[in-house]
Amino acid sequence: MSARITCIALVLVLGGALLLALGNLATAEQSALHASPYVISLAGKYLCYAILALAVDLVWGFAGILSLGHAAFFALGGYAMGMYLMREIGARGVYGNPVLPDFMVFLNWKTLPWYWHGFNIPGFALLMVVLVPGVLALVFGYLAFRSRVTGVYLSIITQALTYALLLAFFRNDMGFGGNNGMTDFKDMFGLPLQLDRTRDVLMLASAVALSLCLLLARFVVHSRFGKVLIAVRDSESRTRFLGYRPENYKLVVFVLSAVMAGIGGALYVPQVGIINPSEFAPANSIEAVIWVAVGGRGTLVGAVLGAVLVNLGKTYFTGALPELWLFALGALFVLVTLFLPRGIMGLLPVRAEMPLPRAPAPAQAAASEAGPEGVAGADFGR
Amino acid sequence: MSHPIGAVSETLLYLNGVTVSFDGFRALNSLSLVLEPGEMRAIIGPNGAGKTTMMDVITGKTRPDEGSVVFGADTDLTKLDEPAIAALGIGRKFQKPTVFEPHTVWDNLLLALAGDRRPRFTLLARETPSERRRIEEILATIRLTEQRHRRAGDLSHGQKQWLEIGMLLAQQPQLLLVDEPVAGMTDAETAQTAELLREINRTRGVVVVEHDMHFVRALGVKVTVLHEGSVLSEGSIDHVSADPKVVEVYLGR
Ligand SMILES: Nc1ncnc2c1ncn2[C@@H]1O[C@H](COP(=O)(O)OP(=O)(O)OP(=O)(O)O)[C@@H](O)[C@H]1O
Ligand SMILES: [Mg+2]
């Protein structure tokens, strides 16, 4: 059953992206079927958010890791891509320096910082898109999971992580453009970013990346590994007495998820044309969790659906009633939590990708002998 | 496995002067206990006697302040953590049944089945015919063949207890620790559980903690009475129930 839902989602994502691209390229501007560049870039953005949502669902829905800092991995992937795009500008910048990006010339820097080397090579930059979020997740996860930090405490430190990165990237002397970040990109892999064709390709690439991430995530959660992961989510200490090492399972899925988020961020940056420290804002990570909750935690496809629908709403609201958006988002979250604990996917007459456990009575969860993570692990962290 | 067939040692498990304190309160007080290979032992004792804490120490959940726990010939369990101890062949059933509720009965057994526990293996693992055969066997032993495709969360209390025992069997442990297996069971289920444990005991050592005296009597094995963290009395059920110290502890309150 859930296989059919995944197929439908793939058809919608890939078919929809293809139709939009055709609508942009093959129709006249006056045509009713014409998709404007604005629509294309919006669709591309939503697809990248959907990749982030998928990454969040993978750790939250299936391993019980409520990460409130996942946008950090998204932003790091974005920065890695931004660094490539900056180097790609070359001598076409305002100051005409063939090596140094404009903001460095502005700061009177004479040489390129060591960590900017190599980013002029596309392959290296793409490697960093994957490696930087992956390695950070590996180190962070290793320390957190090995010391058995779970539940609310884990959520808090993920939030602290993204906040620390926000502050760090704000600093000019970090060498990432400080407050303003990076922008004014010219082209990517030789294709001018201003061209409709390039934007269509990027949007299509995002759809393909999302589809591949969805298939990979599905493979992971349906494997025996995924079954262990769900066992860890529901009673971590029990899996330990069965001889599994929950910390290793969480680490693998956390790194995989961070890499996915990084890829989403890397596709996002050329489409929106800018990356700055605000992408690390804690609120961004929390929004991503809301997308997943709205779509349906632990359903994968629901995460994609939630990301697209909530962002459609956001686009509409921020255009029509900007001051109301945050209230609407808050209300949506409260309503979904109260009335749709399984999100929109819970309304469909099909089995979830991996059903969540029936919520135990709080006292029972806290008293559960097999769960020393008891209270901290209750409800949200589970 | 540290316990190759043929190299039978004198004892399966040896607790020597184990002490565990929680904020100055001694849950275990210089507890010593010897279990022979293939033995089944019943542990009884009033609430708070330290029975569960003893299991926590054996399985690596709690580190003792003093004393040693030796498994087989010379493995000191106090140096190992839970997964390592599980891998040595010590299985544990909790006081509250803890099965993986969203998974089917079949998948619960599959996850418990002895085998490679590393992510790199489980990511690509496929169910093999021999795994399937093992699961079928266990399903028959724990009388859950009919329920194999049901969610474990939908089973009755007694069925969950059996499923958990089945998961222990799937681990193929040499030593099974079972905490209050018949709590909340009907009389018929209790009798079936006693039978099941005797069957299990044919091939492995078993330690059963239980309050239910009828059940302990039905098992017909050596009994250890714990009180305030150490052994109060040991012997046959008739011997210990006639022991004045035991009578005092059970009736004198
Ligand atoms: N983690 C802990 N922190 C503090 N005290 C504890 C802890 N675990 C157990 N105790 C105390 O240690 C004593 C022994 O507890 P234990 O659970 O081993 O008893 P038990 O014999 O299993 O009792 P029951 O028959 O009720 O299951 C109790 O007084 C208990 O309150
Ligand atoms: Mg107990």
Side-chain angles (χ1 to χ4, degrees):
Chain A
M1 258 321 201
S2 82
R4 195 192 303 167
I5 295 279
T6 308
C7 284
I8 295 173
L10 288 174
V11 168
L12 287 178
V13 165
L14 291 171
L18 211 56
L19 283 181
L20 280 176
L22 283 176
N24 177 241
L25 285 181
T27 60
E29 234 164 273
Q30 309 81 337
S31 158
L33 295 175
H34 183 71
S36 70
Y38 171 70
V39 169
I40 297 296
S41 77
L42 217 50
K45 223 167 86 170
Y46 294 170
L47 290 168
C48 296
Y49 287 149
I51 297 177
L52 174 58
L54 204 54
V56 171
D57 195 27
L58 203 49
V59 289
W60 184 35
F62 297 90
I65 304 166
L66 175 57
S67 169
L68 294 181
H70 245 54
F73 301 119
F74 185 83
L76 286 172
Y79 264 97
M81 179 56 84
M83 287 164 80
Y84 160 73
L85 295 173
M86 284 309 265
R87 298 285 313 264
E88 186 77 354
I89 296 171
R92 289 169 293 174
V94 176
Y95 297 106
N97 189 311
V99 178
L100 292 189
D102 277 351
F103 73 87
M104 293 187 193
V105 182
F106 184 76
L107 290 172
N108 264 324
W109 291 15
K110 298 290 172 247
T111 54
L112 201 65
W114 61 267
Y115 46 84
W116 273 80
H117 286 282
F119 276 94
N120 51 328
I121 306 160
F124 178 83
L126 290 182
L127 189 66
M128 288 300 129
V129 161
V130 171
L131 225 50
V132 172
V135 169
L136 177 68
L138 186 70
V139 173
F140 178 88
Y142 175 79
L143 295 173
F145 302 143
R146 198 193 45 158
S147 31
R148 301 192 184 177
V149 181
T150 55
V152 178
Y153 302 99
L154 186 64
S155 299
I156 291 171
I157 59 171
T158 54
Q159 180 102 101
L161 172 76
T162 196
Y163 192 64
L165 286 167
L166 170 76
L167 295 182
F169 275 75
F170 256 125
R171 297 166 59 95
N172 276 327
D173 53 12
M174 279 283 285
F176 296 111
N179 195 5
N180 300 319
M182 308 171 193
T183 186
D184 291 330
F185 308 132
K186 298 282 187 277
D187 48 36
M188 181 175 176
F189 308 152
L191 302 171
L193 286 168
Q194 267 38 305
L195 284 188
D196 273 8
R197 204 156 21 97
T198 312
R199 295 175 159 272
D200 290 331
V201 169
L202 278 169
M203 191 267 293
L204 284 172
S206 309
V208 171
L210 173 61
S211 305
L212 292 177
C213 286
L214 183 58
L215 286 173
L216 179 65
R218 211 187 116 79
F219 169 79
V220 168
V221 304
H222 280 270
S223 69
R224 196 177 295 185
F225 173 92
K227 287 175 181 162
V228 177
L229 210 56
I230 286 165
V232 167
R233 177 192 74 190
D234 291 349
S235 51
E236 180 167 341
S237 83
R238 181 73 177 88
T239 55
R240 232 177 242 128
F241 290 110
L242 271 185
Y244 292 97
R245 295 196 175 273
E247 57 274 21
N248 294 352
Y249 279 78
K250 291 195 206 174
L251 191 58
V252 168
V253 79
F254 194 64
V255 170
L256 177 66
S257 163
V259 167
M260 267 188 199
I263 292 171
L267 285 160
Y268 175 81
V269 167
Q271 299 187 79
V272 297
I274 182 168
I275 174 79
N276 64 31
S278 70
E279 295 299 335
F280 288 106
N284 284 17
S285 298
I286 293 171
E287 255 184 65
V289 168
I290 296 178
W291 305 336
V292 176
V294 168
R297 176 189 168 201
T299 61
L300 297 180
V301 170
V304 173
L305 190 66
V308 172
L309 289 182
V310 175
N311 279 295
L312 269 173
K314 184 176 186 172
T315 304
Y316 169 76
F317 262 95
T318 45
L321 308 154
E323 57 290 338
L324 281 186
W325 166 242
L326 275 181
F327 293 103
L329 185 66
L332 181 68
F333 186 57
V334 171
L335 290 177
V336 164
T337 315
L338 286 179
F339 299 111
L340 282 180
R342 280 151 204 274
I344 297 170
M345 293 300 281
L347 296 172
L348 300 182
V350 292
R351 206 164 58 84
E353 197 77 35
M354 264 313 152
L356 297 176
R358 298 230 174 95
Q364 198 187 330
S368 156
E369 179 190 10
E373 53 276 327
V375 186
D379 199 20
F380 236 42
R382 289 167 65 100
Chain B
M1 301 277 151
S2 73
H3 218 69
I5 298 156
V8 182
S9 64
E10 288 301 306
T11 62
L12 179 60
L13 183 73
Y14 176 34
L15 272 73
N16 186 12
V18 173
T19 297
V20 172
S21 319
F22 296 114
D23 306 320
F25 169 76
R26 292 196 162 192
L28 291 184
N29 191 359
S30 188
L31 172 68
S32 296
L33 191 101
V34 175
L35 199 75
E36 311 292 334
E39 183 182 348
M40 168 137 64
R41 176 74 59 89
I43 310 263
I44 61 173
N47 290 111
K51 305 179 297 290
T52 300
T53 307
M54 181 192 81
M55 293 204 169
D56 287 345
V57 168
I58 299 170
T59 53
K61 187 177 175 189
T62 302
R63 295 236 176 278
D65 303 310
E66 279 167 46
S68 61
V69 182
V70 181
F71 181 61
D74 55 2
T75 314
D76 186 355
L77 297 182
T78 60
K79 303 269 184 303
L80 304 172
D81 66 355
E82 300 101 312
I85 291 172
L88 278 177
I90 298 183
R92 172 171 189 183
K93 194 204 147 305
F94 288 89
Q95 204 161 333
K96 287 218 180 62
T98 43
V99 295
F100 302 126
E101 308 228 328
H103 288 315
T104 59
V105 169
W106 182 279
D107 281 347
N108 268 275
L109 292 173
L110 179 68
L111 291 185
L113 227 46
D116 197 331
R117 253 66 165 137
R118 289 171 306 173
R120 78 180 79 143
F121 172 79
T122 54
L123 259 174
L124 301 172
R126 301 223 150 264
E127 233 170 76
T128 64
S130 82
E131 282 176 330
R132 241 169 263 148
R133 222 174 309 118
R134 276 286 295 147
I135 296 176
E136 300 278 5
E137 272 170 33
I138 295 166
L139 282 170
T141 310
I142 59 174
R143 304 173 174 87
L144 288 179
T145 305
E146 302 288 298
Q147 326 287 337
R148 71 226 281 182
H149 297 308
R150 281 182 71 192
R151 253 178 105 250
D154 294 338
L155 298 178
S156 75
H157 179 79
Q159 288 172 328
K160 281 185 194 170
Q161 299 272 32
W162 285 338
L163 174 56
E164 204 179 352
I165 293 175
M167 289 166 74
L168 286 182
L169 287 176
Q171 276 180 269
Q172 297 191 307
Q174 296 175 60
L175 172 62
L176 230 77
L177 308 174
V178 195
D179 206 348
E180 302 201 22
V182 299
M185 280 192 179
T186 63
D187 286 351
E189 285 172 336
T190 302
Q192 285 180 334
T193 305
E195 198 183 313
L196 188 56
L197 286 178
R198 270 195 300 269
E199 209 170 302
I200 291 167
N201 179 232
R202 282 211 291 269
T203 46
R204 41 202 122 225
V206 180
V207 174
V208 193
V209 164
E210 192 45 74
H211 280 296
D212 187 327
M213 282 301 170
H214 294 292
F215 178 74
V216 173
R217 196 171 282 279
L219 287 178
V221 298
K222 188 168 170 186
V223 178
T224 297
V225 187
L226 285 195
H227 178 53
E228 292 178 350
S230 40
V231 175
L232 185 68
S233 181
E234 206 165 71
S236 72
I237 181 76
D238 292 321
H239 171 84
V240 299
S241 34
D243 188 330
K245 284 180 293 183
V246 177
V247 175
E248 158 97 29
V249 164
Y250 270 93
L251 301 177
R253 46 171 64 205

